[in-house]
Amino acid sequence: LNARLIWTFASAYRVLGDEKYRKMADRAYDYFVQHFWDAEHNACNTYVDEFGNPTDKHRYIYGNAFAVYGFSEYARATGSKEALEYAQKLVASLEKYVYDPVYKGYFESCKEDWTVDPWTRGVNRLPSDQKTMNTHLHMIEAYTCLLRTDKSKFMQNKVREHLYVMLNKIVDHDIHHYFYFQDRAWKPTTPEISFGHDIEGSWLMMETAEVLGDKAAEEKAAPRCLAMAKACLEQAILPDGSMLYEYNPVTRHLNTNRSWWVQAETVVGFLNAWQMSGEGAFLDASLNCFEYIDRFVVDHEYGEWFTMLGNSGEVLSGYESKIDGWKCPYHNARMCFEILERYEK
């Protein structure tokens, strides 16, 4: 959450140039360095209390990925060498302790001393879920962001390898969705499909190929990213323009909740697919979902976005709060920044 705040306000400052966003980015960055950074282990703690004291020092790789993302964007937006060094130190730790040299990719979580412990903490559901699509998805956006500032051969090689792992091991080439959870050797352990992650990944992987500036990588990524976007368009878009949440093809259980972040990524993912292909159906889907967001998800009276909606656009019980440990202005702000920057092009 706090790393996402660094990213969001640093991006706002970079894109919009308003000093008020620089002040918010500085505040988020300073707090994070003071209270979340563990200098002894070159790592980030998971939780701190209201006084800033660590309450959980497990190395949650998903969270550490966002720290790399936040540090990297702050360095990109402000030119901070210190922030760049924090990102590089954290990447060094991740590569030393979390990278799997045998099967590639990254493990899910570690103890305080960086001892790999896949069931200590994570977004996995079973002890056999040693690798997750979600963590790898946010690792690739973080490493790609760092590559914009750190153009070393090391970072180029790591980002390229990570992209190919995503494309070759985590994308199901038969149905054009991500495998959600996998064991160490990339064997799927659960059948669920997450439409939001699929459409998000379809543009993030393409962004990675473009930032690499590698023609072969772009040619490899483009058809698979477009196929993922097409699968989401055909299977998850409803008449009101919104995107469904998840589907289990074994039990046939369909989660019809409309999540704020899924809708935000839908707009960007289909906008990107339209830019890549010129197919009008993708642009229509992006615009229709944007209209759904404006109609139902944005709280026009008090600001920000509602978290989870039902079939009629109602806020679901239990989701009345617009902020929690997973909810902040990251997905929705990024949607807006992407629209602005893509429109400029």
Side-chain angles (χ1 to χ4, degrees), residues 44-264:
C44 296
N45 297 317
T46 300
Y47 287 103
V48 301
D49 64 18
E50 67 271 35
F51 303 108
N53 301 312
T55 60
D56 186 344
K57 292 187 177 183
H58 292 142
R59 308 309 175 200
Y60 182 19
I61 308 311
Y62 176 98
N64 278 268
F66 273 101
V68 174
Y69 200 32
F71 285 144
S72 300
E73 183 66 11
Y74 186 84
R76 181 187 179 197
T78 69
S80 170
K81 292 183 179 179
E82 180 187 79
L84 177 60
E85 290 173 357
Y86 276 122
Q88 291 168 331
K89 288 179 182 178
L90 190 48
V91 166
S93 293
L94 293 168
E95 293 302 319
K96 182 178 181 179
Y97 298 110
V98 187
Y99 175 70
D100 182 352
V102 178
Y103 295 103
K104 311 303 180 187
Y106 300 86
F107 296 111
E108 187 63 20
S109 61
C110 298
K111 296 178 181 178
E112 180 182 352
D113 64 357
W114 283 112
T115 302
V116 172
D117 188 359
W119 194 234
T120 299
R121 181 171 185 81
V123 291
N124 44 4
R125 301 183 186 183
L126 300 168
S128 58
D129 302 338
Q130 291 198 43
K131 293 176 180 175
T132 69
M133 162 274 294
N134 202 8
T135 291
H136 283 81
L137 181 62
H138 294 297
M139 286 281 284
I140 202 171
E141 72 183 354
Y143 274 39
T144 299
C145 190
L146 178 56
L147 182 62
R148 294 181 186 275
T149 304
D150 178 352
K151 301 182 184 297
S152 65
K153 277 292 182 184
F154 171 80
M155 281 308 301
Q156 290 180 42
N157 290 337
K158 291 310 300 186
V159 170
R160 184 180 294 105
E161 179 186 290
H162 193 107
L163 175 62
Y164 278 88
V165 165
M166 294 285 291
L167 293 171
N168 295 329
K169 299 296 186 181
I170 303 180
V171 176
D172 184 332
H173 300 160
D174 293 325
I175 62 172
H176 309 299
H177 293 289
Y178 281 134
F179 294 117
Y180 211 147
F181 302 101
Q182 293 164 277
D183 67 12
R184 182 182 178 186
W186 302 109
K187 180 182 178 181
T189 57
T190 53
E192 292 93 341
I193 292 170
S194 173
F195 296 116
H197 289 108
D198 290 344
I199 195 63
E200 180 182 16
S202 74
W203 75 266
L204 285 175
M205 292 190 300
M206 204 61 223
E207 177 188 61
T208 296
E210 292 166 355
V211 172
L212 271 171
D214 185 326
K215 190 70 173 176
E218 291 186 38
E219 291 176 354
K220 179 84 168 179
R224 292 186 180 170
C225 291
L226 277 175
M228 290 177 72
K230 185 176 181 181
C232 289
L233 181 67
E234 293 175 349
Q235 299 166 21
I237 293 298
L238 295 172
D240 62 10
S242 65
M243 181 178 276
L244 297 170
Y245 202 96
E246 287 183 347
Y247 176 62
N248 187 319
V250 174
T251 65
R252 298 194 177 183
H253 176 260
L254 182 65
N255 185 337
T256 63
N257 292 350
R258 313 312 202 274
S259 170
W260 67 285
W261 73 265
V262 172
Q263 311 316 315

Side-chain angles (χ1 to χ4, degrees), residues 286-321:
S286 181
L287 292 169
N288 290 340
C289 190
F290 186 93
E291 291 178 4
Y292 174 87
I293 291 169
D294 188 52
R295 183 179 178 187
F296 294 107
V297 188
V298 175
D299 184 343
H300 289 285
E301 183 176 3
Y302 296 109
E304 244 289 343
W305 291 21
F306 297 115
T307 304
M308 194 74 75
L309 305 178
N311 293 330
S312 300
E314 76 280 12
V315 177
L316 292 179
S317 176
Y319 292 97
E320 290 82 6
S321 173

